[in-house]
Amino acid sequence: MVQQKGYSLIPISLYFKRNFVKVELGIGRGKKLYDKRQDMAKKESERRIERAMKQNF
């Protein structure tokens, strides 16, 4: 078993072949803190816009 901190195994696809299941795996790295902050800010601004649109109509 190989372990490396900061990476995750992600199942990409499943294949069923007779009595076996084949799994295609990918290795992924998590988001950086600044990326998470940008995404959270973007989602919050979209929510505000949606709320404003609902109130006006």
Side-chain angles (χ1 to χ4, degrees), residues 2-56:
V2 178
Q3 292 182 345
Q4 193 167 4
K5 194 171 185 177
Y7 289 93
S8 299
L9 280 178
I10 302 165
I12 296 174
S13 60
L14 292 171
Y15 299 98
F16 296 97
K17 195 167 188 178
R18 296 187 195 139
N19 295 333
F20 297 101
V21 177
K22 293 184 177 184
V23 181
E24 187 176 343
L25 297 173
I27 298 176
R29 180 183 262 177
K31 286 186 176 183
K32 300 287 183 190
L33 183 59
Y34 58 86
D35 288 334
K36 290 180 184 178
R37 288 181 183 160
Q38 289 174 353
D39 286 344
M40 287 175 19
K42 184 178 176 183
K43 287 179 185 178
E44 182 61 32
S45 66
E46 289 174 358
R47 285 185 196 128
R48 287 182 185 168
I49 291 169
E50 287 295 323
R51 285 186 201 130
M53 294 290 283
K54 285 182 181 179
Q55 288 177 356
N56 290 336

